[in-house]
Structure formats: structure tokens, C-alpha cells
Amino acid sequence: MEQSDRQRPPLPMVWKIPMSVATVATLASCAWLSWACYKVFDDDEVKFWAGAVAVVPIVVWLVSTIISAMRYSGWWRWSSVLPLCVIITMLLIEFYVPGRIGWQMARGDMERAAAECERLGAQYRNAASGDPAAPIGQYEFHRIEDAPDGECEFHFPKGYQGVGNGFIYIPSGRNPDGIGSGDTNYVHLGGYWYYYK
């Protein structure tokens, strides 16, 4: 016969410690991911590594939660913190909240850079991977390209070929979906600005 919650002993410290450590480690991974998305709007590379880093603490949390649920009362209070943090972080990332906050912080600097796109483009068009980046706001761009009709592309540095992301300024108001390959996704940021990846 299963013990009721009142008859089971309270959760001992020996179980609170691994749950707390797993929660803090997972929170650190979530904070790292949020910061990376703030810095480059949406970073798939960090999404992968933050998820990989969070696997071990989540497994520790899961084992501790299962054992605690079978043996102790009050286990759910300690166990609910980690999934809530992960769910909140994933929702924030999915709706680009850290990226949009970063964008709003840098928008004035980006507007000024777009006005000087031809000069910046000449300076950073042929940048090699080891060359210094173009700092604009909190962003660092590897390459800046000017295009006809006052368009300007700002490319983030990436450690792998064939994948790019950045911002594009399109003052003509045309739809950016015709730019680049069909695999490119665009997020409208307001005005003439888009984030692409």
C-alpha cells in the first residue's frame, strides 16, 4: 500500500543538494543561451551547446525527482523549479525576446551604420576570419555589404561555412524573401530592418 503524502518523511537535504546543483547548472545554461541570443539575435550554435551542457544536470534532476516522488513528501516544490526555468527560457528564445531586446538596445547604432553602409562596406567587405570585427552597438559583424537602393547587410561571424545570419536594411520596402537561397528565414524587426538566418 502506498503511503500518503502526510505519512512520508520530508525531503532530506541529501536530495535537495543534487536537485539544487542540477537546477543551478541548468539555469546557467539557460542564461548562457539567453545572453548569446541577446548578442546575435538567434544563435543556433549556442542552442546546440547549451542543450548539450544541460543534459547531465537534467538527468541528475530527473533521477532525483523520481526517487523523491516515491519516497518523500514535498518533493514537487523542489522539482518544479528546473522545468519551469527551461520552459520559460525556451518560450523567450522561440519568440526572440532576448534578440529583440538586444536589437532595441543597438537600433540607433544600427541606423547610423546603415547610413554609412558604403564606407563600412568598403572597410569590412573582404574581411578574413581572423580580421577584427566591426563593432556596432553590442554586435560584432564579420562582414558588411552595401547593395543597390541603399540596402545594407550586416553579417555575424560564424565558425562554419555555408551558414550565415545577421541583419539586413531594406529602405526600398521590398520583401526580402527573394534575397539569397530559399532556406533563408527573415524576421521583421520594424521599419526597414530584418534579421535573417
Side-chain angles (χ1 to χ4, degrees):
M1 184 172 180
E2 201 174 303
Q3 291 180 327
S4 73
D5 210 36
R6 289 186 186 139
Q7 295 173 340
R8 291 192 278 178
L11 191 64
M13 188 59 69
V14 72
W15 289 110
K16 290 178 184 177
I17 291 172
M19 282 185 174
S20 298
V21 169
T23 300
V24 168
T26 304
L27 278 173
S29 180
C30 290
W32 174 37
L33 175 58
S34 297
W35 178 253
C37 288
Y38 167 82
K39 293 292 282 180
V40 294
F41 199 83
D42 184 31
D43 196 329
D44 289 335
E45 193 172 359
V46 173
K47 279 182 189 175
F48 172 79
W49 289 111
V53 166
V55 167
V56 171
I58 289 173
V59 168
V60 169
W61 167 84
L62 184 61
V63 169
S64 297
T65 298
I66 291 170
I67 293 170
S68 297
M70 292 187 300
R71 299 181 69 188
Y72 304 109
S73 66
W75 62 272
W76 60 272
R77 286 184 215 97
W78 284 88
S79 296
S80 61
V81 174
L82 185 139
L84 282 174
C85 293
V86 169
I87 289 168
I88 289 169
T89 301
M90 296 318 299
L91 286 172
L92 290 173
I93 300 302
E94 182 64 29
F95 292 105
Y96 303 112
V97 173
R100 288 185 185 275
I101 291 170
W103 169 251
Q104 289 303 320
M105 299 292 286
R107 185 165 188 158
D109 294 327
M110 292 296 293
E111 294 283 353
R112 285 186 288 282
E116 298 181 40
C117 188
E118 190 173 341
R119 181 185 65 78
L120 290 171
Q123 184 176 352
Y124 292 102
R125 180 175 296 117
N126 298 316
S129 61
D131 290 346
I136 301 171
Q138 81 269 10
Y139 301 125
E140 289 186 3
F141 297 102
H142 172 66
R143 199 170 76 241
I144 299 172
E145 295 180 35
D146 57 316
D149 299 326
E151 293 180 12
C152 192
E153 293 183 26
F154 301 85
H155 303 272
F156 286 118
K158 282 294 177 191
Y160 40 89
Q161 293 290 336
V163 177
N165 66 328
F167 297 104
I168 185 167
Y169 176 73
I170 308 174
S172 66
R174 73 177 175 85
N175 187 342
D177 288 331
I179 302 170
S181 71
D183 295 336
T184 304
N185 295 320
Y186 294 92
V187 177
H188 187 242
L189 300 173
Y192 302 120
W193 287 98
Y194 294 85
Y195 168 78
Y196 73 89
K197 87 171 173 178

